[in-house]
Amino acid sequence: MAAGALWLVLVVGSLCPLVSGDPSFTIDYNKNCFLKDGQCFRYISGSIHYFRIPSSYWKDRLLKMYMTGLNAVQIYVPWNFHEPQPGVYNFRGDHDLEHFLNLTMELGLLVIMRPGPYICAEWDMGGLPAWLLNKKDISLRASDPDYLKAVDSWLSVLLPKLRPRLYNNGGNIISVQVENEYGSFQACDYGYMRHLHTMFRLYLGDDVVLFTTDGNADYFLKCGTLQDLYATVDFGPVANVTKAFEAMRRYQPRGPLVNSEYYMGWLDYWGDKHAVSPADRVSEGLQAILESGASVNMYMFEGGTNFGYWNGADFPHVYKPITTSYDYDAPLTEAGDPTDKLLAIRSVISKFQPVPQGPIPPPTPKFFYGLVTFKKVGDLADLLDMLSPTDPFVTQYPITFEDAKQYFGFMLYRNRLTGDVPEPTPLSAVVSGVHDRGYVSVGGQFYGVLERDSLKDVNVTGKEGQWLDVLVENMGRINYGSNLKDFKGLIGNLTLGTDILENWVMYPLNLDGPISQGWPHIMDDQILRVPKAGNGTGPAIYSGTFKINDIGDTYLKMHKWTKGQVWINGFNLGRYWPVRGPQVTLYVPGTILSCSQVNNITVLELENAPDDPLAMLVDRPILNGTSTRKMSGSLLRSHEQRRWTLI
Ligand SMILES: *[C@@H]1O[C@H](CO)[C@@H](O)[C@H](O)[C@H]1NC(C)=O
Ligand SMILES: *[C@@H]1O[C@H](CO)[C@@H](O)[C@H](O)[C@H]1NC(C)=O
Ligand SMILES: *[C@@H]1O[C@H](CO)[C@@H](O)[C@H](O)[C@H]1NC(C)=O
Ligand SMILES: *[C@@H]1O[C@H](CO)[C@@H](O)[C@H](O)[C@H]1NC(C)=O
Ligand SMILES: *[C@@H]1O[C@H](CO)[C@@H](O)[C@H](O)[C@H]1NC(C)=O
Ligand SMILES: *[C@@H]1O[C@H](CO)[C@@H](O)[C@H](O)[C@H]1NC(C)=O
Ligand SMILES: *[C@@H]1O[C@H](CO)[C@@H](O)[C@H](O)[C@H]1NC(C)=O
């Protein structure tokens, strides 16, 4: 046995002499390629967001990416997901970044890290923690000392976790991106980029490949690039790849060509059409990039879901929140299933490098579990003891969510009427004064919705002493462009008729706490009420249960409901808004379901529940349902689509 072991050591030792055996990943500026262990190397990578996929599915998705023939994955790290309060960190369960990185290593995939601190990603505030806004005049993504202090503190926690995982240190991280498309941000603060560069070098060492990514035009690259950071670009399918790389070449005359975000599809906004990119166009574009010898990362390869309140929003000229689904029309669907696009891409890759033999794992079974019926638990305003256990804030004029340290979800703003309002009288917000939607009731009667940028007033009537309630919903913070400081709540005064309303009582709501503890299903007596007449049932909680015999993924269709938030077994599935579309069904991962116990479903409907409140668990998604508005942008799927912040 000892002899056998010795023989093995000798053989391995002779195959890997020490000199060239040390792993190394660098750039060869003469041969214009990456050098991996001394050999020219090109990566064919795909983006996957672990924070949009339940952790028990991570391995499945990575295996499918490996089987497609990818040799690398590119990942973002969202700061706000891991540091929910200053100095409080979460790296457990679905937040366990190191577990995810271990899986990439086990599957033999290389990793291109994009730790931010800003990531965009159509994620709340582009990954920056909303608590940064506690300092109202903070300059984000710039050399503001308070911003840098928070950044440095975060990097001192995150980057040391990555260091032993760098390729040169025996791990699988080949390169690390600094900031993200910084050239698209108006600040153009080279001092900030230099500061990040210093911090990344301090924690990661001098030999790791650090890079930047920007849109492929000079006006992006100008402020996004920095000496010693390798400049790369991003663009979708194009006719002429040489031309598409010209801007990169002006800033990076030598070294490998890299498209860090080759767009597989595009994101969806509530109220727009579902974005699709045909498989043939995407795979032809990929072929052209690979023929040019470039390294490429496909964005997204697996999009996943904006569970909870994590979606971001864009602000081309009005506020446009991103849908709950981040399917992205990617090669793997939101539920991780291979598509024709994946097969087309695999066949392109196989022309350039061997792809693993064997079949791609098939789609996971999807279940049609059928109908769920609901009971009304109560109007939200009657459940404040449970949902807002702390003392309310009492102030003359309304304060923001950030002032109340209520960063996500909902806050109830109450104002007691000081006189009768017998005639319909407009309750009005200043232009864009409600971030982002306010659900208006008086004396428990629902009157309608105030919506940022579009619905400025609602007529109400009421009696002296009644509560005028505005339940305000944070629909997700802006993730791109110059409006990153997106304070939530009532950010201006409300007027009733001609009077500015004063003396507010504000209740920050914590629905996720009680619901994750089993409420309202643990209540013996549910409050049953008949739906109200008028303009809608208004904000209220409903609960239902369902039993299943087999566990698998399914899709929740909130048939005839209007808008709200939904939880299954305490897990926050995200927002539904079928009347606005295009997303009609919500992805329900089988990992949250039970076949030994009854499954509990809880709904916060904000506007109007159906007379007969029921929902369906169906076996296929609908992401392209009716939308009430026309597509406002062009169909061009590229970075150009977001150029508006620079012009
Ligand atoms: C990652 O893998 C290492 C080495 O096998 C192990 O020691 C560590 O516990 C793993 N970490 C996690 C979070 O799984
Ligand atoms: C692609 O663009 C390059 C550089 O602009 C140009 O020289 C070349 O002729 C173009 N190729 C085609 C097929 O149009
Ligand atoms: C509110 O009522 C006034 C009349 O009092 C009417 O002119 C106006 O159109 C109403 N506004 C809405 C939004 O219904
Ligand atoms: C509300 O109105 C008062 C009185 O005009 C003013 O002092 C205050 O700044 C206003 N608040 C906001 C948020 O606009
Ligand atoms: C649903 O709620 C009931 C009542 O609290 C509880 O007994 C059961 O465990 C819950 N089901 C699941 C899957 O958590
Ligand atoms: C419903 O809305 C309309 C239009 O705003 C209004 O005229 C009517 O009074 C409202 N009805 C109730 C019961 O709120
Ligand atoms: C929605 O997508 C499905 C499945 O891809 C397709 O069959 C259907 O025609 C699409 N509907 C619309 C309105 O585009």
Side-chain angles (χ1 to χ4, degrees), residues 445-447 459 533-535:
Q445 170 83 49
F446 183 63
Y447 282 87
N459 280 344
N535 288 329

Side-chain angles (χ1 to χ4, degrees), residues 274 621-626:
H274 176 51
I622 304 171
L623 299 178
N624 60 354
T626 41

Side-chain angles (χ1 to χ4, degrees), residues 396-400 430 490-494 500-502:
Q396 189 174 13
Y397 301 112
I399 63 170
T400 63
V430 296
L490 293 183
I491 61 157
N493 286 312
L494 292 187
I500 292 182
L501 292 176
E502 295 183 6

Side-chain angles (χ1 to χ4, degrees), residues 3-16:
L6 182 63
W7 180 82
L8 190 67
V9 168
L10 287 175
V11 170
V12 171
S14 70
L15 285 174
C16 310

Side-chain angles (χ1 to χ4, degrees), residues 239-244 246:
N240 188 333
V241 170
T242 316
K243 197 161 187 290
E246 275 176 353

Side-chain angles (χ1 to χ4, degrees), residues 96 98-99 102 106 165:
D96 193 345
E98 298 218 64
H99 174 52
N102 275 3
E106 282 166 26
R165 297 174 177 275

Side-chain angles (χ1 to χ4, degrees), residues 423-426 457-460:
E423 296 302 322
T425 305
D457 34 48
V458 169
N459 280 344
V460 300

